[in-house]
Amino acid sequence: LAADEEMHFDVVPMGGKKQPKATSTPPSSPGKASVMSAGHAHPPQPAEDAPKGILEKSIAIMEGKYVQTIMTLTTVFALFGEDMRLYSFPKSADHYFYALFIFSLLCFATELTINSIIQEGYKWSFFFWLDLVATLSLVPDIKYFIDPVNFLLGIDTSTSSVNATAARAGRASRAGTRAGRIVRLVRLVRLVRVVNVTKCCSREAELTEEEKELKRLEEEERQRTKNAHDAQRRVEASRLGKILSEQTTRRVIIGVLCVLFVLPNLSYEESDNSGYHGLQQLFYYGSSFCNTPNADFACKYGLPHSSNDSNAWLTTEGWRYMVYAYATSSKTQGEKESSTGDLAKPLLWLRIPDFEEGGRIHDIRRVESPQGTWEADVKCDSFQTRDECKWRESEVELVVFTPEECLSSNACREINVAAKFLKKDYSVQSAGMSMLTTIFIVFLLGAGAMTFSKDTQTLVIEPIEKMVNIVKQLADDPLNKPEVVDEDYEEFAAMNRKKGSNQLETSMLENTILKIGGLLQVGFGEAGAPIIGKNMSNESGDIDYMIPGRKVIAIYGFAEIQDFQDITECLLEEVMVFVNKIARIVHTCVHEWGGAANKNIGDAFLLVWLLLETEDQKKLIGVSESRQGTPVKTPLVDVAPQTRTPEGHPSDDELGLTRTRSKFLEEKDVSERMTELADRALVSFIKIIAEIRRASDLSAYAKHPKIIPKFGLNYAVHIGFGLHCGWSIEGAIGSEYKIDASYLSLHVNIAARLQSATKQYGVDLLMSQHMYQTLSPKARDRCRQLDVVMLKGTKTPVGIFCFDVNKKIFATPEGHMVGQMIPPNEMTMETLAAKGVDWMFLMDQDIVNLQKGISLEFQSTWRQAFAFYIEGEWTRALEMLQKCLALMPGDGPSEALALYMKSQGTQEEQEHRLAPPADWSGSRALHAK
C-alpha cells in the first residue's frame, strides 16, 4: 500500500441530497396495478416456469381444506359405510349406499391418480400401494359391480360359504387399509386443516368478497412472519426424521394388518351344523313310508303305506312337530328377546319332502301342531334372495342338503332340499363389532405409530435435528450463540438425570457441537464469520480457507501491556495467568461496548468495532446497490485554511480542529451509527483503564515475590491504547495447517503506531485525527490534540489526539460488573443508557473521575502552547508548556513537545529565541514504531 494512499468512499446520500435514477417502466393495466398495489403480486413468470406454477397450484388445491374435508368424510364413510348399512338401515336404503360407495371409489381413484402425478416420490411408494388396495377394496361393497362379475364367473353367492368368508376378509382388509390411510393423513398433519371446517365455512359465507381478500392477505402476512421467525429459531424436520417416521408408520401398519389377517386363521371356531343335520332328518323322514325306521331311501323292501296307516312308524302329528321343532330350533331360553322375537334365527323358507303328500318335495307353506304354528315367508321362498324379499342376502342363511345316494347317481342328481333362516341379529351384531374393530384398528395404528416413534423422536430425531439446527445457525450467523431450547427434550433429559442415568450420547454430541461452535467463534472472531459460515454450510467434508476477503470500514484499536518483557522474565510460567486476567478485562469491556477481540498477540490485543450490516458497509466503501461508478476521493486528513483569530492566535481551522466530516459520514443514518460506534470504542478503552486500576487480583502483583526484585513495591499494570478509523480487508490468512482471520490495511497499522507512540507522549491513549472527527461532540470536547505527525510507513501528516486521564484509583461500586456504565447516584443505569452513548462522557462516573484535576486553565494554556508550536514560535510555545507543567506536573505531552523542540530547534542569539528547523511545516516525523 502506498503510504500516502487516500481512502475512497462513494455514498448514496439520503434526505433528498441525491435524486434516484430515472427508470422507464411500461405502463400496466388498471387491473394489474390494483393487484400490484396489494404488495403480493409477482411479475409474470417465463413460459418455462408455467408447468411449475401449475404443479404448485395443484398441490395447494389437493392439500386445501375443501379437498381434504371431502376426502376425510369420504374416508370415514368408506370405513364405516358398509357396517352402518347393515347395522342401522333397511334393505330399501342399499341403493343410496351403493351410490355413495361409487362416489367414494371415484374420489379415491381421482386422488390416487392426481397424487401420482403431482407428488414427488409418491408413485410406487408404500403409501401408493396402500391407497391402491384401499381403493380396490371398495369394489366388493358395490353390488352393481360384484354381481355381474359373479354371474360371468358362474359363482352362486347364495350357496357359497367361501364367499362369506372372503367378504369378511375383504371388509377386514378395507378396515386395515382405510385405517392406514387415516394414519397417513394424521401423520402428514393434513387433517388439522379440517378440524373446524364447518366453523370456517360458515364464517366464510358471512364475509364479503373484499373482506375475504383482506383476510387472505393478512393470513399470508402472518404466515410469512411466522415462517421467518421459525426459520431463525429452528430448522424444519430433518430428512432423517421424515424417513424414520414413515418407516415406523409403515411397519406398524403392516404389523397390525398381518395380525388382523393371520389371527382369525389361527383360531378354532365351532360351527353350528344343526340346520344341516335337521334338514337331513326331515328329508329322510318326510320321504319314507316304510314300517321300520331303519328302511333305506328307496324303500325297496317293505310295502308303502299311507300317512294314515296305523302300521306306519311316523304319524302326521309327529311329522308336524318335527317341522315346527326345526323351525323354532333357535328359540332363546331365559334371554332377552331379539328383533325377531324369541327366535335368534327364525325359519323363513322350507323345501322338503312332504310326509302328508306322500313324500313329494315342495315348499312347506304352513305347519300347525299342538306346540305352535309356523308359516313361511312367501317373498323369500327361493334359492336366490329376490328383490321383493325384505331381507338382504347377507342377512339370511341358506342350508341345502342333497342325499348322498344322489351325489353319485344321475337319476336323482337334481334332488335337493333347502331351508332359509333369518340371521338379522347376527348380521347386526357382526356389523356393530366390525365398526368397533375398525375404530380399534384406527386407534391401534395411530397409538402404535406415535408410541413407537416417540422414543425415537425424542432420543434420536430431535437431538439430530438440534445438531443440524446448531450447524445451520452457525452457518447463518457465526457470531451468535445458537438457540437450542427444547422443552420436551430438556424435560426428558432432566428426568433421566434424576434417575441417575448417565448422559445420553446424543446429548454429548450436541454439547460437543456447541463447544466446537463456541471455540470457532472465539478462535476466529468477527473477522472469521464468513469462513465459519461458508464451511458450515458446505456439504462436503473439505475445508475451504481460500475465501476472498471483503473491504470493510471499521474502527481499529491496539492495546499493549507495558513492560511485558520484564514481566515475562519475572513470572515465567505464571505469565499466562497474568495475561489472561488482563485479557478478561480487555475482552469483556470491548464486548460490552459493541466491539470484538480479533487477535491476542502476546502482550498486545487487536480490537475491532465494525458495522455488521452489509448495506451500511456498501455505503461506507462507496459500492451502492443503486449506482456504480468512480468513487469519490476524500483525504485521510482534512487540510484547514490558514486563518487567525482577532487575538492573533491560530484558529481552530488552522490547528486542524474543524469538525468537517469525510464524505462517507455525510449519510445521516450511517454516520450516526458510525459516530456511536466510535464513542463506544473510546468508552471501552476508558473502561479498561478504570477496571485495570481497581482489579484486586492485578493489584496483588505489586506484592508478588517474583515482581518485587525487578519493580519494587510500586508495580502497577499499565496498558497503552491506539485508536484509528478506516478501511481494511477482512478475511482469512494462512494455509491448511493454520488459519487466522484478521484485517489487513495501512489503517490497522496506524492504530498500532499510535499505541506505540503513547510511550513517547506519556499518555494512556492516542487516537488519529480521523477517529477524533468521527466522535460525537461531547466526546471530542474531552479530548486534546497533541501533535501533527507523520507515522512510520506513511507520507501524509495526521493529527493525533489523546483522552486525558489522571493517575487515581477508584473503588468498585457495589454490584458492579466489569465494563458496565456507572451512573451518578441520582440516576439509574437504564436512564443513562437511554440518553445515548455520547452522554457517557458527561455522566459516567469512571470517565468523570478519571478526568478530575484537568482544569480549564490547563486546557486553555495547552491550546495556546500547541498553537505556537504548530506556527513555529517555539520560544513562546516553551513558555506556555512550562506553565502547563506547573499546572499539571508530570504531563507527558508537555514534556514530550518541550524535549522535541529543545533537541530539534536552533538558538537565535540575537533574538534570544528558539527557532524551528528550516523545513518546519507544522508537522514532524515520528520514527518510532
Side-chain angles (χ1 to χ4, degrees):
L1 295 172
D4 58 349
E5 182 177 356
E6 297 175 341
M7 290 194 301
H8 297 251
F9 307 103
D10 186 14
V11 184
V12 179
M14 297 179 65
K17 294 183 180 180
K18 182 176 179 63
Q19 297 296 331
K21 273 188 178 180
T23 56
S24 60
T25 56
S28 59
S29 63
K32 291 182 179 179
S34 63
V35 174
M36 292 299 291
S37 64
H40 295 279
H42 298 280
Q45 298 294 328
E48 57 271 14
D49 293 340
K52 183 178 180 181
I54 295 174
L55 182 64
E56 292 177 350
K57 290 181 180 179
S58 301
I59 294 175
I61 292 174
M62 292 301 296
E63 294 183 351
K65 62 180 180 181
Y66 298 111
V67 174
Q68 288 302 307
T69 301
I70 294 173
M71 295 309 303
T72 302
L73 295 177
T74 306
T75 301
V76 173
F77 175 76
L79 280 168
F80 299 101
E82 176 67 9
D83 294 325
M84 290 174 60
R85 180 177 72 89
L86 297 176
Y87 187 83
S88 303
F89 293 89
K91 182 179 178 181
S92 57
D94 287 357
H95 298 289
Y96 301 103
F97 276 87
Y98 295 149
L100 290 175
F101 284 135
I102 294 175
F103 175 77
S104 301
L105 179 63
L106 293 176
C107 288
F108 290 152
T110 303
E111 185 195 35
L112 181 69
T113 303
I114 294 177
N115 284 340
S116 299
I117 297 174
I118 66 175
Q119 293 288 350
E120 183 179 358
Y122 174 76
K123 190 176 182 180
W124 314 126
S125 67
F126 171 78
F127 292 105
F128 167 82
W129 293 111
L130 191 69
D131 289 344
L132 179 61
V133 172
T135 302
L136 296 178
S137 66
L138 289 173
V139 175
D141 291 339
I142 305 173
K143 185 177 180 181
Y144 305 145
F145 294 165
I146 201 65
D147 283 355
V149 173
N150 290 334
F151 178 77
L152 292 176
L153 297 178
I155 300 176
D156 186 1
T157 58
S158 63
T159 59
S160 176
S161 61
V162 178
N163 273 346
T165 304
R168 288 192 295 270
R171 284 194 294 272
S173 173
R174 182 176 64 256
T177 52
R178 293 293 85 207
R181 181 181 182 82
I182 285 184
V183 170
R184 178 173 67 93
L185 294 176
V186 173
R187 182 181 56 82
L188 296 178
V189 200
R190 295 170 64 184
L191 284 177
V192 175
R193 303 180 183 178
V194 294
V195 172
N196 297 319
V197 173
T198 306
K199 181 179 178 181
C200 294
C201 292
S202 60
R203 173 60 183 160
E204 288 288 336
E206 298 173 1
L207 298 176
T208 63
E209 291 298 326
E210 183 178 354
E211 290 174 336
K212 289 180 181 179
E213 179 66 16
L214 181 61
K215 180 182 177 182
R216 183 183 65 82
L217 296 178
E218 292 177 350
E219 183 64 27
E220 289 179 358
E221 184 64 28
R222 284 195 299 268
Q223 189 64 32
R224 280 195 298 270
T225 304
K226 180 179 181 298
N227 292 341
H229 178 71
D230 292 344
Q232 293 175 356
R233 293 186 60 86
R234 62 180 290 124
V235 294
E236 295 179 356
S238 65
R239 186 168 178 266
L240 174 63
K242 181 180 179 181
I243 293 175
L244 285 179
S245 178
E246 287 188 356
Q247 291 287 350
T248 302
T249 305
R250 183 181 308 178
R251 289 190 175 96
V252 170
I253 292 174
I254 293 176
V256 171
L257 293 181
C258 288
V259 170
L260 185 68
F261 296 137
V262 172
L263 276 184
N265 297 323
L266 298 180
S267 61
Y268 173 77
E269 293 184 0
E270 292 185 356
S271 300
D272 182 8
N273 295 320
S274 58
Y276 177 83
H277 293 293
L279 186 62
Q280 179 185 19
Q281 188 178 28
L282 288 176
F283 172 80
Y284 283 112
Y285 276 64
S287 60
S288 176
F289 292 94
C290 301
N291 56 4
T292 172
N294 295 325
D296 61 7
F297 167 65
C299 293
K300 293 180 180 179
Y301 306 99
L303 299 174
H305 297 273
S306 67
S307 58
N308 295 322
D309 193 336
S310 59
N311 294 325
W313 65 274
L314 178 63
T315 64
T316 301
E317 290 76 9
W319 162 252
R320 291 177 180 176
Y321 173 75
M322 288 182 63
V323 173
Y324 178 78
Y326 181 73
T328 60
S329 60
S330 61
K331 183 177 182 179
T332 57
Q333 297 180 358
E335 297 182 5
K336 183 179 178 180
E337 290 190 358
S338 63
S339 59
T340 55
D342 59 352
L343 297 180
K345 292 170 59 176
L347 182 64
L348 298 178
W349 172 59
L350 183 63
R351 178 183 175 83
I352 57 174
D354 192 345
F355 179 80
E356 297 183 42
E357 296 187 12
R360 184 172 65 89
I361 298 177
H362 66 93
D363 294 346
I364 306 298
R365 299 295 183 184
R366 181 183 177 88
V367 171
E368 294 182 359
S369 71
Q371 288 75 23
T373 303
W374 172 79
E375 189 172 358
D377 188 340
V378 295
K379 294 182 179 180
C380 302
D381 56 353
S382 65
F383 286 95
Q384 299 290 339
T385 303
R386 301 193 302 268
D387 293 338
E388 55 268 22
C389 181
K390 62 181 296 187
W391 311 112
R392 300 182 181 93
E393 187 173 338
S394 59
E395 295 174 343
V396 298
E397 179 182 355
L398 180 65
V399 181
V400 179
F401 170 74
T402 300
E404 185 177 353
E405 296 86 343
C406 293
L407 293 177
S408 57
S409 173
N410 294 330
C412 60
R413 182 178 295 275
E414 300 299 326
I415 295 178
N416 52 57
V417 293
K420 184 177 290 186
F421 293 91
L422 176 63
K423 56 175 185 177
K424 173 69 175 179
D425 284 347
Y426 175 80
S427 177
V428 170
Q429 292 175 7
S430 297
M433 294 303 296
S434 178
M435 286 189 287
L436 292 177
T437 302
T438 302
I439 294 174
F440 175 73
I441 292 172
V442 173
F443 171 77
L444 186 63
L445 287 172
M450 288 188 294
T451 302
F452 290 138
S453 61
K454 180 176 176 57
D455 290 341
T456 303
Q457 181 72 20
T458 304
L459 299 176
V460 180
I461 305 300
E462 288 183 5
I464 291 177
E465 288 180 355
K466 286 165 64 178
M467 295 176 204
V468 174
N469 183 40
I470 293 171
V471 175
K472 179 176 173 55
Q473 291 186 60
L474 288 174
D476 293 340
D477 191 355
L479 299 180
N480 285 338
K481 182 179 179 180
E483 298 180 7
V484 292
V485 178
D486 190 294
E487 296 179 358
D488 295 336
Y489 183 77
E490 293 297 330
E491 182 180 351
F492 183 85
M495 181 180 64
N496 282 339
R497 286 193 293 269
K498 288 181 180 179
K499 292 180 179 179
S501 58
N502 295 327
Q503 188 181 26
L504 299 175
E505 288 80 358
T506 51
S507 179
M508 294 173 60
L509 285 174
E510 180 186 333
N511 293 332
T512 302
I513 293 176
L514 281 173
K515 290 178 182 178
I516 292 174
L519 291 173
L520 287 175
Q521 292 172 339
V522 172
F524 281 91
E526 194 171 88
I531 303 172
I532 299 174
K534 182 173 182 180
N535 283 279
M536 283 292 188
S537 58
N538 187 7
E539 295 183 357
S540 66
D542 299 329
I543 298 178
D544 183 11
Y545 60 91
M546 291 297 183
I547 301 175
R550 64 165 184 157
K551 190 175 183 180
V552 296
I553 301 295
I555 297 170
Y556 313 100
F558 255 89
E560 184 180 60
I561 305 172
Q562 307 294 336
D563 303 318
F564 184 73
Q565 184 174 352
D566 294 335
I567 292 294
T568 303
E569 293 176 356
C570 293
L571 295 178
L572 298 177
E573 295 89 348
E574 296 180 40
V575 74
M576 303 303 295
V577 178
F578 173 77
V579 172
N580 287 338
K581 288 180 179 180
I582 297 176
R584 182 183 65 86
I585 295 176
V586 172
H587 292 178
T588 302
C589 292
V590 170
H591 185 271
E592 181 73 19
W593 292 97
N598 179 254
K599 278 186 179 180
N600 303 317
I601 319 169
D603 60 340
F605 307 95
L606 173 59
L607 312 158
V608 181
W609 288 261
L610 178 70
L611 284 178
L612 296 178
E613 289 78 4
T614 304
E615 187 62 29
D616 291 343
Q617 286 294 333
K618 288 182 178 180
K619 291 178 181 179
L620 291 175
I621 65 177
V623 184
S624 175
E625 287 186 349
S626 61
R627 180 167 72 92
Q628 292 184 357
T630 305
V632 179
K633 296 185 178 181
T634 303
L636 181 63
V637 179
D638 292 321
V639 180
Q642 298 293 322
T643 58
R644 288 199 174 252
T645 64
E647 293 80 8
H649 298 297
S651 66
D652 285 348
D653 286 343
E654 186 176 344
L655 297 178
L657 299 179
T658 55
R659 296 181 181 179
T660 58
R661 300 296 181 89
S662 299
K663 184 64 179 178
F664 80 99
L665 291 178
E666 291 179 4
E667 183 77 13
K668 183 179 179 181
D669 58 337
V670 179
S671 66
E672 288 178 351
R673 286 195 291 274
M674 198 66 185
T675 296
E676 180 182 348
L677 205 62
D679 287 351
R680 287 179 173 274
L682 181 56
V683 169
S684 66
F685 275 3
I686 299 172
K687 285 291 181 180
I688 292 172
I689 295 172
E691 299 292 353
I692 289 290
R693 290 186 183 181
R694 59 172 164 245
S696 58
D697 53 348
L698 293 178
S699 301
Y701 279 95
K703 299 179 181 180
H704 196 286
K706 295 183 180 180
I707 294 290
I708 294 176
K710 182 73 175 180
F711 295 94
L713 297 173
N714 297 321
Y715 174 75
V717 177
H718 184 73
I719 299 180
F721 301 93
L723 274 173
H724 179 60
C725 179
W727 65 265
S728 68
I729 304 301
E730 176 190 74
I733 306 168
S735 66
E736 65 270 22
Y737 302 104
K738 179 68 174 70
I739 299 176
D740 287 323
S742 191
Y743 300 86
L744 298 179
S745 86
L746 169 67
H747 303 289
V748 179
N749 295 337
I750 288 176
R753 302 287 186 268
L754 291 171
Q755 184 281 132
S756 297
T758 57
K759 302 172 186 177
Q760 293 180 250
Y761 289 94
V763 294
D764 293 273
L765 187 153
L766 282 178
M767 70 185 77
S768 67
Q769 180 176 349
H770 194 78
M771 177 66 188
Y772 170 83
Q773 292 175 340
T774 309
L775 292 170
S776 63
K778 293 182 179 65
R780 293 201 299 269
D781 290 342
R782 295 297 181 119
C783 302
R784 71 165 156 154
Q785 185 170 9
L786 302 185
D787 209 341
V788 179
V789 300
M790 199 147 29
L791 297 172
K792 188 175 182 62
T794 66
K795 295 181 180 180
T796 303
V798 57
I800 57 175
F801 296 74
C802 79
F803 187 91
D804 290 307
V805 295
N806 54 40
K807 305 296 182 182
K808 298 179 181 179
I809 301 175
F810 304 97
T812 304
E814 184 178 356
H816 175 70
M817 304 292 291
V818 174
Q820 284 186 343
M821 63 179 70
I822 303 177
N825 294 331
E826 66 276 6
M827 184 181 294
T828 63
M829 190 179 299
E830 291 76 13
T831 304
L832 179 56
K835 288 181 172 291
V837 182
D838 55 339
W839 281 88
M840 291 285 295
F841 296 97
L842 300 178
M843 310 296 291
D844 184 81
Q845 295 306 291
D846 274 342
I847 297 177
V848 172
N849 290 332
L850 285 173
Q851 287 209 317
K852 281 183 178 180
I854 304 173
S855 63
L856 293 176
E857 182 182 1
F858 171 80
Q859 295 175 0
S860 177
T861 304
W862 170 264
R863 281 196 294 270
Q864 295 180 47
F866 185 73
F868 290 133
Y869 165 73
I870 294 295
E871 188 179 355
E873 297 182 9
W874 284 12
T875 301
R876 299 178 66 182
L878 280 173
E879 293 174 358
M880 302 305 295
L881 289 176
Q882 293 300 325
K883 292 182 180 180
C884 289
L885 290 172
L887 293 170
M888 187 181 291
D891 180 50
S894 299
E895 294 177 350
L897 288 188
L899 180 62
Y900 174 74
M901 287 188 289
K902 290 177 181 179
S903 63
Q904 299 296 326
T906 57
Q907 191 73 31
E908 297 180 356
E909 297 180 1
Q910 62 277 21
E911 298 183 9
H912 300 286
R913 69 187 184 90
L914 186 65
D919 59 350
W920 176 253
S921 60
S923 64
R924 67 187 180 103
L926 203 64
H927 297 290
K929 287 188 177 181

